[in-house]
Amino acid sequence: RSAQNYIDKKRAFTSMPHDNMVIVPVSQWMRDEMRESYLKDYPFRVIHNGIDTDIFSPQPVEEVKKKYGIAGYDKIILGLASLWFREKGLYDFIEMSKMLRPDEKIVMVGVDDKTRRLLPDNILTIRRTDNVQELAALYSAATAFVNPTWQDNYPTVNLEAQACGTPVVTYRTGGSPESLLPATGRIVEQGDVTGLLEAVREFAQMPHTELRDACRTHAMANFRNQDKYAEYIDLYNSILRR
């Protein structure tokens, strides 16, 4: 059915007059991909996703470090996913764990029992936290948030980490690098696990307060939910005025 489904969808989507529809990708990368599709002749307007920057903000970290036994580590490497599998970087973290120094610790959040059995003992796993404040504290406690994703459009976790004052290290995948500035993140090529770890170590040598402030300032200027809502309202109003 795939060929017929494609024909049916193309007919349905392209039946909309070009001046009556604006396509809103959430990343520049997605817009570029869609320009290769049968929708290429429609107008596009990129509106990035936003987050609640009141919830995701720099938090005290002493309690969460004590709870999970990571207070003694100089470098905390945080990974987060709702489901862990190859495309989310599961095996990249396993490879990274083989390169760790004694003062470095990987913390992976969102790990179920099946995935836990695949991971070495030197990775701290957290099943899931429904407490958003604790999640913000984990972001805040990390030296860097590492996102070795192999498939992504515009990951919200990158925004959350920066809003909590934590820099991001990610692969050059889809729209994942789009939320980063040189002052708030590093981009390495897919599969370069050594490059991920070197970037974390680079951030660990930087003044913490300056790094935190740069990430937070960038987040407040670009990731606020309220600003993204306003962009949609502006788009709707512009269409209504036609």
Side-chain angles (χ1 to χ4, degrees), residues 209-230:
T209 301
E210 293 180 16
L211 192 56
R212 181 197 62 201
D213 291 349
C215 290
R216 181 63 180 173
T217 299
H218 177 50
M220 293 301 291
N222 295 279
F223 306 153
R224 295 173 70 247
N225 266 341
Q226 299 94 321
D227 297 335
K228 301 306 169 185
Y229 300 153

Side-chain angles (χ1 to χ4, degrees), residues 51 56 139 145 156-168 215:
I51 59 170
F56 292 102
Y139 278 126
F145 177 74
T156 305
V157 288
N158 292 3
L159 316 184
E160 294 171 351
Q162 291 174 85
C164 293
T166 299
V168 174
C215 290

Side-chain angles (χ1 to χ4, degrees), residues 50-151:
I51 59 170
D52 188 332
T53 52
D54 292 330
I55 292 176
F56 292 102
S57 60
Q59 301 291 319
V61 301
E62 290 78 11
E63 185 175 334
V64 77
K65 281 186 173 183
K66 182 179 179 181
K67 176 179 179 179
Y68 291 109
I70 53 177
Y73 292 94
D74 293 333
K75 304 178 190 71
I76 298 171
I77 302 160
L78 181 66
L80 170 67
S82 55
L83 290 172
W84 282 103
F85 43 91
R86 178 193 175 278
E87 288 77 12
K88 285 295 183 183
L90 172 63
Y91 296 102
D92 304 78
F93 273 114
I94 293 174
E95 287 302 308
M96 189 187 300
S97 72
K98 301 173 184 177
M99 309 175 192
L100 295 182
R101 298 169 181 166
D103 64 338
E104 298 170 338
K105 189 68 173 178
I106 294 174
V107 178
M108 294 175 63
V109 180
V111 179
D112 59 20
D113 291 339
K114 179 180 178 181
T115 305
R116 177 66 190 90
R117 289 192 287 270
L118 300 173
L119 298 174
D121 292 337
N122 65 340
I123 294 180
L124 171 65
T125 61
I126 300 173
R127 283 187 62 87
R128 182 170 300 191
T129 174
D130 295 324
N131 184 332
V132 182
Q133 292 296 334
E134 182 175 280
L135 179 57
L138 284 167
Y139 278 126
S140 301
T143 305
F145 177 74
V146 175
N147 188 2
T149 179
W150 290 76
Q151 295 178 3

Side-chain angles (χ1 to χ4, degrees), residues 184-195:
T184 69
R186 294 291 182 271
I187 304 160
V188 302
E189 299 305 319
Q190 287 184 333
D192 184 6
V193 177
T194 301

Side-chain angles (χ1 to χ4, degrees), residues 6-17:
Y6 177 86
I7 293 170
D8 293 343
K9 289 179 180 180
K10 180 179 180 180
R11 182 185 301 114
F13 280 114
T14 58
S15 67
M16 179 70 72

